[in-house]
Amino acid sequence: MSSIPNSPEIGRSLLAAGRQTNVHDLGSGAPVLLIHGSGPGVTAWANWRLVMPALAASRRVIAPDMAGFGYTERRPGDEYSMDNWVAHAIGVLDALGIERTDLVGNSFGGAIALALAIRHPERVRRLVLMGSVGVNFEITPALDAVWGYQPSLEAMRGLLDLFAYDRGLVNDDLARLRYEASIRPGFHESFAAMFPAPRQRWVDAMASAEADIRALPNQTLVIHGREDKVIPLQTSQTLSGWIPRAQLHVFGQCGHWTQIEHAGRFARLVTDFLSEARDDEPQPLS
């Protein structure tokens, strides 16, 4: 696993599903697994840095760099698929000896969280889906641009403008940091291999079956930014309509970065939702 000395993006290294995996592991109590999105150069720390300390005040926070991203090991011939990403997430839990966890998934990570809850129901207590993929929708121009990113400072600045509603969060310094992250050795090569054009097929590949989603017994919090240009609000409205025990929270004046643009509110909302869980959840649907 590549590393940068003293970088906050580097957590602990563990072997998960046969892959050396960079994982942030902080706090104590009931575990919650955070699965990041799929922006170029993303890491778990970059995605969750503003909310991990608040969440860790009351629970054990586990945030891995998923296969193909960040400082987790890349291997020749890696194949990126929902099957492999779900297996990697389960491998993280197994390596840490965690039998059941709450799950928080952001965008691409929401699709993984949803699939994991469907395929391994015994491993999941409560579910949080934020700006989530996981149902069929027509790919947006913004998501097509994100997945089709070719490294340049100008391209990164353009993507940041798509992610954030509040343009005050986007400046040249942030664009440069994220651009430099996207061109670290191996980062763009694996990213480019994940979502080659035509990209609608990758949206479709990440969708779970409607019947499986409707059968989920988990208490589920669905979160979306009203002004999200990357993943349409309709996806969360669909998810909250299909999941029997779902509730939907829409943040106004918010783009695709709910956990950044509304970090304090997001952390409180998620903490309150997870704190209500009982050890015997989920109960079968009546």
Side-chain angles (χ1 to χ4, degrees):
M1 181 174 67
S2 301
S3 64
I4 299 176
N6 302 317
S7 170
E9 295 183 293
I10 305 300
R12 60 183 289 194
S13 180
L14 54 83
L15 187 64
R19 184 185 302 270
Q20 286 301 135
T21 302
N22 182 46
V23 178
H24 297 268
D25 183 353
L26 60 158
S28 61
V32 57
L33 178 67
L34 309 182
I35 306 180
H36 60 72
S38 61
V42 73
T43 64
W45 182 87
N47 199 133
W48 302 112
R49 65 190 185 281
L50 298 184
V51 299
M52 284 196 296
L55 296 175
S58 59
R59 62 194 62 252
R60 183 181 181 186
V61 173
I62 309 298
D65 289 350
M66 296 302 294
F69 294 93
Y71 296 95
T72 286
E73 179 187 9
R74 292 168 172 81
R75 301 180 300 199
D78 270 338
E79 294 184 5
Y80 301 110
S81 67
M82 188 57 65
D83 289 345
N84 290 337
W85 279 314
V86 169
H88 186 218
I90 289 292
V92 170
L93 297 178
D94 289 345
L96 294 172
I98 296 173
E99 294 184 4
R100 295 178 75 237
T101 186
D102 295 316
L103 274 180
V104 181
N106 171 30
S107 192
F108 151 87
I112 298 173
L114 188 65
L116 195 159
I118 290 168
R119 300 177 188 191
H120 302 277
E122 75 285 357
R123 306 300 294 266
V124 182
R125 190 172 66 165
R126 288 200 167 192
L127 189 60
V128 179
L129 304 173
M130 185 187 76
S132 182
V133 186
V135 297
N136 291 111
F137 63 94
E138 184 177 346
I139 191 169
T140 62
L143 180 56
D144 197 49
V146 171
W147 283 351
Y149 167 80
Q150 293 297 319
S152 75
L153 185 57
E154 293 75 19
M156 181 58 73
R157 178 60 190 253
L159 292 190
L160 296 184
D161 284 335
L162 294 174
F163 279 120
Y165 170 83
D166 180 2
R167 295 303 190 272
L169 294 173
V170 178
N171 55 47
D172 290 341
D173 289 340
L174 177 60
R176 184 170 296 280
L177 284 173
R178 299 315 308 155
Y179 162 67
E180 291 175 352
S182 75
I183 59 171
R184 290 170 185 156
F187 276 43
H188 184 66
E189 290 80 359
S190 59
F191 182 76
M194 290 179 201
F195 311 114
R199 297 184 182 88
Q200 179 66 48
R201 55 184 164 155
W202 309 121
V203 173
D204 300 341
M206 290 183 188
S208 292
E210 179 179 347
D212 291 336
I213 297 173
R214 288 185 179 277
L216 281 171
N218 309 78
Q219 293 283 350
T220 302
L221 174 62
V222 184
I223 300 172
H224 215 105
R226 187 182 62 202
E227 286 76 29
D228 192 340
K229 296 179 180 179
V230 180
I231 307 299
L233 175 59
Q234 181 61 47
T235 63
S236 285
Q237 293 170 330
T238 298
L239 285 166
S240 65
W242 288 357
I243 300 172
R245 292 171 175 160
Q247 53 184 284
L248 173 64
H249 189 102
V250 179
F251 283 93
Q253 297 187 316
C254 182
H256 194 55
W257 275 353
T258 309
Q259 82 285 17
I260 293 174
E261 296 190 76
H262 295 273
R265 291 176 178 175
F266 174 87
R268 289 191 295 273
L269 181 65
V270 172
T271 296
D272 288 348
F273 173 71
L274 297 183
S275 69
E276 298 170 354
R278 304 193 310 265
D279 287 341
D280 62 352
E281 288 188 22
Q283 296 293 318
L285 294 172
S286 56

